[in-house]
Amino acid sequence: MAAEDAALRDLYQQVILDHSRHPRNQGRLDGPDCHHARGHNPACGDEVEVWLKTGPQGQIEDIRFEGQGCAISQASASLMTLALKGASPEAARRLMADFHALVTGASAVGDAEALGNLLALEGVQKFPQRIKCATLAWHAAEQALNQGTQNGRSS
Amino acid sequence: MPDLSHRRADFPILHQQVGGHPLIYLDSAASSQKPRQVIDALVRYYERDNANVHRGLHELSNRATEQFEAVRAKVARFIGAASADEVIFTRGTTEGVNLVAQVWASHFLRPGDVIVSTGMEHHSNLVPWQLAAERCGAVVKYVPVLEDGTLDLAALRALLEEGSVKLLTCVHVSNSLGTINPVAQICAWARALGITTLVDGAQAVGHMPVDVQAIGCDFYVFSGHKICAPTGIGVLYGRAEVLANMPPWHGGGEMIDSVTLEGSTYKQAPARFEAGTPDIAGVIGLGAAIDYLEGIGIEVIHAHGQELIQATLQKLQTVPGLRVLGPPPPVQRGSLAAFSLACAHPHDLVEYANTKGLALRGGHHCTQPLMRRFGVVGTSRASFYLYNTHAEADRLVEVLHQAVKFFS
């Protein structure tokens, strides 16, 4: 394999190509405990929308996404839904922070094990232009989660 | 086909490796590369002649002024303007459009007036009009784009005849479709109805012969950096009669006739629209770029671009799942092709191509409404200029085949 193919394979690992071709948890959620937010990358026009349903303790009972984008943004969204499903708000926020640390390399990852398959996105670090692709769905999920927990507090 | 491959030696930047491969620069529609002749002109200017223009009496200022104004005359001749006074230097196409959308529109548009634009405009010839319409209470109406990437000319004509239309703005060559619009015909229809016209020539000038008087437009805009000149310099052509009725834009030095504390009077065009110290080096560079292009011959550059793009369109048909936007061959188009690939998003494809030394553009190309029209989030675009070769086009097609294998 040529050197540049190795670098490409680093970015486009099999798990990423698999999730980009067959994204999990696509669709919408509707109901009283469902929260929705939209992520938009003006540089490329990509959009990802995230819906999540929170339980009585604020845990993420279900999560779905819709949108169009590159392999990185689609795979990241798909893997994210698997990782966040069932998570408490605290665990979800820890995961979000760790994922951010993973793709930016700005700080150390706290709990690599919790990231699981998401570790495949570490290659994004070497492609700074793509960090926004990888984090697009995560920003939307964070916003949706904030809505959920704010509503949870006020009710 | 004219062989311009020996011209590659004029472009120092082309002779480098990217990702271990020879650079293949296919993004000239975004910005062109610069020949040694232009780079040398900038160095010469800064090393020998640099001074402010129009206001010094010393030798250097005289030299700078002389060269600066000589370029204005050169530009006028290059685009077929009747007079050098119709050439206003701007920062680029975007600034040219904004100047008209602010000064002309604010002065002439009334609530209820209509601006006619098209569905294939670059954001820089779209958003300024939306802003102007908002300010003036005018409305922007858009000519639809047909499936083959051409304008719906019947709809355009009908829109013009609806009444209340004060301005028509239209791109000469689409940066996403490659479509060459029949701007002379369109401007003739508009002129007959007393409608002012602006043509965005960012992808036309330097690629094909452009004659603003033959087109018959009131305004024509283009950028230097897309035609081998430095970034930061562009041209707004305005027909003398139209410019004469426009108030100034920015206030400052250079544009005034006389200034008192009670008020000021202003120079005529072009000085009226060029407040402050201009990008003198940029203008000198633009002049050197025009000399360079004319040394080759715009007709020759055009023939080379046509031959290259038509051959490339044929070859692209061999790539599985690839769809090219814009007029199908053999219709003449700008020397660019934007395409979508079923198996890969433009960002992924451009990333892939980059590792093979290819510089492509991926995304919406600042034409989001057009991308929506064709049901794509974005496209990948290969655009050629005089320094590109058939071998490079072949390599593009080869890499696209590899990308299909990689992403499928």
Side-chain angles (χ1 to χ4, degrees), chain A residues 79-85 87-88 90-100 102 109-120 138:
Chain A
L79 287 163
M80 176 189 80
T81 59
L82 296 179
L84 287 181
K85 207 166 187 172
S88 67
E90 297 73 28
R93 290 209 169 83
R94 272 199 304 274
L95 198 69
M96 287 170 178
D98 273 347
F99 181 74
H100 198 259
L102 177 78
V109 171
D111 185 357
E113 207 176 315
L115 286 169
N117 269 341
L118 286 163
L119 290 170
W138 291 79

Side-chain angles (χ1 to χ4, degrees), chain A residues 38-148:
Chain A
R38 181 173 157 266
H40 177 236
N41 184 352
C44 57
D46 285 354
E47 277 188 5
V48 172
E49 289 182 90
V50 173
W51 286 261
L52 54 83
K53 179 175 164 50
T54 47
Q57 266 75 53
Q59 76 276 18
I60 298 172
E61 288 191 334
D62 202 357
I63 176 164
R64 302 281 168 89
F65 82 99
E66 271 186 4
Q68 282 184 306
C70 61
I72 304 298
S73 76
Q74 294 300 290
S76 183
S78 174
L79 287 163
M80 176 189 80
T81 59
L82 296 179
L84 287 181
K85 207 166 187 172
S88 67
E90 297 73 28
R93 290 209 169 83
R94 272 199 304 274
L95 198 69
M96 287 170 178
D98 273 347
F99 181 74
H100 198 259
L102 177 78
V103 294
T104 60
S107 54
V109 171
D111 185 357
E113 207 176 315
L115 286 169
N117 269 341
L118 286 163
L119 290 170
L121 283 155
E122 191 176 9
V124 170
Q125 259 187 43
K126 291 192 209 112
F127 298 83
Q129 306 262 43
R130 306 306 292 278
I131 292 171
K132 276 187 182 160
C133 310
T135 55
L136 188 60
W138 291 79
H139 288 306
E142 193 175 4
Q143 279 179 49
L145 183 65
N146 287 345
Q147 290 171 24

Side-chain angles (χ1 to χ4, degrees), chain B residues 3-239:
Chain B
D3 180 16
L4 297 180
S5 54
H6 61 290
R7 292 289 178 178
R8 290 177 61 80
D10 294 335
F11 293 82
I13 204 168
L14 296 178
H15 309 283
Q16 64 174 295
Q17 304 258 312
V18 167
H21 295 271
L23 165 68
I24 297 181
Y25 187 76
L26 300 177
D27 197 18
S28 294
S31 197
S32 74
Q33 296 304 345
K34 322 302 175 198
R36 170 62 65 201
Q37 289 83 339
V38 169
I39 299 166
D40 285 349
L42 294 175
V43 172
R44 203 163 49 236
Y45 167 72
Y46 277 124
E47 287 187 349
R48 287 200 335 219
D49 307 319
N50 176 54
N52 212 331
V53 289
H54 298 138
R55 51 198 85 169
L57 290 173
H58 56 79
E59 169 69 18
L60 294 190
S61 177
N62 288 342
R63 273 193 235 152
T65 304
E66 206 171 286
Q67 291 175 35
F68 182 86
E69 288 304 323
V71 174
R72 199 188 300 278
K74 189 177 300 207
V75 170
R77 190 176 37 72
F78 186 56
I79 60 170
S83 155
D85 291 341
E86 297 179 319
V87 172
I88 296 158
F89 290 123
T90 63
R91 283 193 294 144
T93 303
T94 300
E95 191 175 72
V97 175
N98 276 280
L99 193 162
V100 179
Q102 289 179 26
V103 177
W104 184 90
S106 301
H107 199 63
F108 290 105
L109 287 186
R110 300 284 170 268
D113 282 349
V114 174
I115 298 165
V116 170
S117 179
T118 86
M120 63 168 81
E121 298 309 313
H122 189 281
H123 294 166
S124 64
N125 193 27
L126 184 73
V127 181
W129 300 109
Q130 292 176 336
L131 290 169
E134 229 170 85
R135 269 195 315 273
C136 305
V139 184
V140 189
K141 294 185 178 174
Y142 300 98
V143 179
V145 179
L146 301 174
E147 199 53 38
D148 68 355
T150 61
L151 286 176
D152 184 340
L153 292 175
L156 186 153
R157 228 178 149 175
L159 267 180
L160 293 184
E161 284 165 358
E162 268 180 19
S164 304
V165 180
K166 290 293 183 316
L167 182 125
L168 168 106
T169 182
C170 175
V171 69
H172 195 167
V173 176
S174 160
N175 74 318
S176 303
L177 300 168
T179 313
I180 303 174
N181 286 316
V183 286
Q185 177 64 73
I186 292 169
C187 289
W189 291 338
R191 195 167 56 246
L193 295 162
I195 297 164
T196 301
T197 51
L198 181 143
V199 176
D200 167 5
Q203 301 292 346
V205 172
H207 286 267
M208 57 193 278
V210 168
D211 184 324
V212 292
Q213 290 189 81
I215 293 168
C217 54
D218 294 303
F219 298 106
Y220 194 96
V221 285
F222 67 95
S223 295
H225 72 95
K226 293 191 202 285
I227 61 164
C228 296
T231 50
I233 187 68
V235 168
L236 163 66
Y237 158 82
R239 207 161 52 79

Side-chain angles (χ1 to χ4, degrees), chain B residues 262-316:
Chain B
E262 289 68 42
S264 305
T265 55
Y266 314 106
K267 282 187 183 144
Q268 294 303 309
R272 169 179 291 230
F273 305 105
E274 292 180 358
T277 297
D279 181 359
I280 306 165
V283 168
I284 306 277
L286 176 62
I290 292 173
D291 286 344
Y292 181 78
L293 297 175
E294 290 193 317
I296 300 169
I298 294 295
E299 288 285 4
V300 171
I301 293 169
H302 184 223
H304 170 267
Q306 282 308 306
E307 165 87 29
L308 198 48
I309 190 61
Q310 294 298 341
T312 304
L313 289 174
Q314 295 299 334
K315 290 170 195 158
L316 286 176

Side-chain angles (χ1 to χ4, degrees), chain A residues 4-5 8-9 11-12 17 21 40 42-46 68-72 127 130 133, chain B residues 19 21 345 347-349 351-352 355-356 362-364 368 375-378 395 406-408:
Chain A
E4 73 259 20
D5 283 339
L8 275 173
R9 280 289 168 214
L11 180 63
Y12 294 109
L17 290 176
R21 288 178 198 134
H40 177 236
C44 57
D46 285 354
Q68 282 184 306
C70 61
I72 304 298
F127 298 83
R130 306 306 292 278
C133 310
Chain B
H21 295 271
H345 184 278
H347 273 192
D348 297 317
L349 180 60
E351 192 83 73
Y352 183 89
T355 64
K356 312 287 179 189
H364 51 62
Q368 285 182 356
V376 290
V377 272
R395 177 68 180 148
F406 185 90
F407 288 108
S408 304

